[in-house]
Amino acid sequence: MAASAAPSSSAGTPGRAARKPRGEGQWALGHREPLNPNERTKKDDNGLNVRARVENIYAHRGFASIDPADLRGRLRWWGLYTQRKPGIDGGRTAVLEPHELDDEYFMLRIRVDGGQLDLAQLRAIADVSAKYGRDTADITDRQNIQLHWVRIEDVPAIWREVEAVGLSTTEACGDTPRVVLGSPVAGVSEDEVLDGTPAVTEIVEKYIGDPSLSNLPRKFKSVISWLPDVPYEANDIAFLGVEHPEHGPGFDLWVGGGLSTNPMLAQRLGVWVPLAEVAEVWLGVCRLFRDYGYRRLRNRARIKFLVADWGVAKFRQILEDEFVGRKLVDGPAPKLPEHPIDHIGVHRQRDGKFYVGAAAVAGRVSGTVLAQVADIAEAHGSGRVRLTPYQKLLVLDVAEEKVESLIAALDAVGLQARPSTWRRDTMACTGIEYCKLAIVETKATAERTVAHLERTIGRIDGSISINVNGCPNACARTQVADIGLKGQLVPGPNGELVEGFQVHLGGGLSMAQGQNPNFGRKLRGLKTTVEELPEYAERLTRRYLEGRKDAMEPFAEWVLRVDEEELR
């Protein structure tokens, strides 16, 4: 790549030497000079080291004592982001300086690798939410829990409480290996052949908090799951279950997925990885990204750009030759199920008991609700819950005769096991309520839209996903929803700029046989204001229900074949 010389535009001109192309900041090619502000900050000090300053200085001297490079950089290595100061409208998001947007409180992200929680862990999260986070708690679409209104003075106490039950906030944010996604029914599903949990556990125990992996070019998002019930194509690395004709069950390796402002889907490397080697291969890919990832431009630093430039053949060769040290086994593609896997409702486990999946609206819960869920689960004989990458919650190990009582108890605290399509299939990011990058409000908008559709249309056969995002960064996976909403300012009724969304329609991932991944239709000028969104979603749904070929035609297929006017 950048190591070889190339002719300049003046090649052949006497007296003028050809210029080498600019390097991309790849360590393995000798480009070690920090080339953007984030790289300079990381070179000055490893982000993991900020914990000592929190415990010894900042928690005692308060918010004003925090070094700016720690405040807007290294604190992320421990799951802390400053939250948005209240009252700043979306039009000022990209105008104000960071210190003008910062509130003196933090969002705190707690890692829940694989989405797995026992009741002691759930109660610990509920307790710190109540004591230190004004009872806030959101289930994210990466199986984490986020709290808000956290003071720096309280962070050491929070760490002590969550770490006492085996949880952490280590590398929940930052240019690090983020939470490892896993099937929310790993180890209990009747359809699972091989439980990936041991690999998730090995990675977390060995490599999370490892200083040699804590300075990646950007974040590194991982999936390990036998079942395709997680968005594996939208992650930097994914291991998806597959049966090898000679070697038996193992995992198919995918790399290079990511959405945001330059969406790309992960690609298969064509290798079969046994469960015992998943952590080793994961480490190889992580180190390859560390050493060859682009560090010159921040907006090209994700591994997806490296995969796109190299191609999978070169990526696999470098991985084998330089980071794994051997040829990996060729493997077949996974076989997807006939229909997408939906964990909401009542489902039989392999041991004869049941798990029950329930939905809040867009993941918004509270510490109080989480404590109630722990009590409800315990009262019904369950000792564990799971979080899904769709902002939902599952209670495992329920005896058949206790299922209906559990459903009623969950419903009483706002978690519905038999929700409408709208509640089940709507997600939303944090939005302008707390996020400094957001332009529009999301959680309340999602709740208002769900309520409107439940009232005006009610239940429908089929599924229509609505993903609400407060900015272009696609934390709520905007581009792969039936109705994807990207927050921006749009013209209002009188021509003034108001909060609204650019609309993406008909996106999706390959979660079942016959599904082709795509980023949907983005029609020129197709926008809606926040206030008009519920009515727009209703209008679009009615047109779909009236115009689909039959009850089996998915929304995404209808979107791709109809005239643009039908979608406005």
Side-chain angles (χ1 to χ4, degrees), residues 2-3 6 18 25 38 59 83 131 173 198 233 267 293 308 383 392 428 438 450 457 529 531 549 561:
N38 299 81
Q83 68 186 40
K131 288 194 294 191
C173 312
E233 291 168 304
Q267 301 180 57
K392 309 302 186 290
V450 166
I457 294 181
T529 67
E531 292 302 316
K549 293 177 181 177
R561 71 172 176 82

Side-chain angles (χ1 to χ4, degrees), residues 420-461:
S420 67
T421 294
W422 316 112
R423 176 185 278 245
R424 186 186 68 229
D425 295 327
T426 295
M427 297 199 308
C429 72
T430 299
I432 202 170
E433 182 180 12
Y434 299 118
C435 179
K436 294 182 295 180
L437 301 178
I439 301 168
V440 305
E441 203 287 324
T442 55
K443 294 288 188 183
T445 297
E447 185 174 11
R448 189 169 62 252
T449 302
V450 166
H452 178 86
L453 292 169
E454 288 178 336
R455 184 174 63 253
T456 58
I457 294 181
R459 295 181 179 271
I460 65 171
D461 52 343

Side-chain angles (χ1 to χ4, degrees), residues 156-172:
I158 294 173
W159 282 335
R160 287 193 294 271
E161 187 160 350
V162 299
E163 289 170 359
V165 294
L167 294 172
S168 84
T169 71
T170 312
E171 297 180 336

